[in-house]
Amino acid sequence: MNSISVRALLVRGMLAGLAAGVLALVVAYLLGESPVDSAIAFEEAHSHSHDHGGEELVSRTMQSTSGLATGVLVFGVAIGGIAALAFAVALGRIGSFGPRATAALVSLGALLTVYVVPFLKYPPNPPAVGDPDTIGQRTALYFLMIVLSVLLTIAAVILGRRLAPRLGNWNATVAASAAFVVAAGLAFAFLPSFNEVPKGFPATVVWDFRLATLAIHVTLWTFFGLIFGHLAERLLVPSADRAAAGSSTASRAVSAAN
């Protein structure tokens, strides 16, 4: 793949990330803001001091609107660009998949590797949950878990490719996946855990917040994969080939119907 194609994929990845970010923003606003408000209300009700050092620098209204939009959209553009580069590396190297299928696999892999696996060890918490004295340690461990998850995923892919000639694609995939689960489980066991939910904090608020963050990332990566796969196919597959593939699919459908 030449530099022009990679640059074009990068631009399309960022655009797809922006579009997916808009959809994720809707989910974040509809599902995420309610538990955040509940957590803030709990924090204010149980604060030992009502003096918070003067007027707040950023209002809650701005946080839940323009602040939320800026964060989600910038994140969408950033991960879109990174995922597009990963797509350029993966295309043709993880099997005989076309652009759409490769984009779907990259999106699914990114969702599981970058979010779901770290989520299982260090799930996100709403405001008022967590000791301020451990925030640095918790942040470092969370990013360490992301790095470990990415490295283990790369190792699992390499292992699967090397086992495939001897075991076949299916058995190699199962073996590599099992190795990943075992290695991730060891990381879960040896890395420290934190349980810093304050006494009396509603458990439903914690779980609503965590499910909302999960829904945001699922939305983001799902629609990124769909949108970017479409854009990548239009860039990389000539229109004549797409038309021929569409005609072949239609012919098979007609034959099956008859």
Side-chain angles (χ1 to χ4, degrees):
M1 185 174 295
N2 57 46
S3 60
I4 296 178
S5 297
V6 172
R7 186 162 57 248
L9 286 172
L10 178 62
V11 173
R12 283 160 175 78
M14 296 173 70
L15 291 174
L18 178 62
V22 172
L23 297 170
L25 174 61
V26 174
V27 175
Y29 186 80
L30 295 178
L31 300 183
E33 286 305 305
S34 178
V36 170
D37 288 337
S38 298
I40 292 175
F42 177 91
E43 185 177 36
E44 292 177 346
H46 293 77
S47 175
H48 295 293
S49 173
H50 295 286
D51 182 9
H52 298 283
E55 184 179 358
E56 57 184 355
L57 297 178
V58 181
S59 68
R60 174 66 187 131
T61 301
M62 182 172 291
Q63 292 175 11
S64 63
T65 53
S66 58
L68 177 65
T70 300
V72 173
L73 295 181
V74 169
F75 179 75
V77 172
I79 64 97
I82 295 172
L85 297 178
F87 169 90
V89 173
L91 185 63
R93 294 183 173 90
I94 58 174
S96 56
F97 299 105
R100 285 180 184 266
T102 302
L105 290 173
V106 168
S107 299
L108 178 61
L111 173 64
L112 295 176
T113 300
V114 179
Y115 188 74
V116 173
V117 172
F119 173 93
L120 294 175
K121 177 62 179 177
Y122 299 115
N125 290 318
V129 175
D131 185 352
D133 295 333
T134 65
I135 188 171
Q137 182 184 9
R138 286 185 283 117
T139 302
L141 287 170
Y142 179 77
F143 282 105
L144 174 61
M145 192 66 238
I146 293 177
V147 172
L148 288 175
S149 181
V150 172
L151 292 177
L152 289 175
T153 299
I154 294 173
V157 172
I158 294 174
L159 176 63
R161 285 174 58 87
R162 291 187 175 181
L163 292 177
R166 287 182 291 172
L167 302 180
N169 289 334
W170 174 259
N171 291 331
T173 301
V174 172
S177 300
F180 174 85
V181 171
V182 171
L186 291 174
F188 280 22
F190 284 102
L191 289 176
S193 300
F194 299 90
N195 183 15
E196 299 176 343
V197 179
K199 184 178 180 181
F201 192 91
T204 54
V205 174
V206 175
W207 284 109
D208 286 347
F209 179 82
R210 291 174 178 176
L211 291 176
T213 61
L214 182 60
I216 292 167
H217 283 267
V218 169
T219 301
L220 182 67
W221 284 110
T222 298
F223 282 97
F224 170 79
L226 294 174
I227 297 170
F228 179 69
H230 172 72
L231 296 177
E233 184 176 62
R234 291 183 64 86
L235 172 68
L236 300 175
V237 180
S239 57
D241 292 346
R242 293 200 305 271
S247 176
S248 176
T249 302
S251 298
R252 287 196 299 268
V254 171
S255 300
N258 294 332

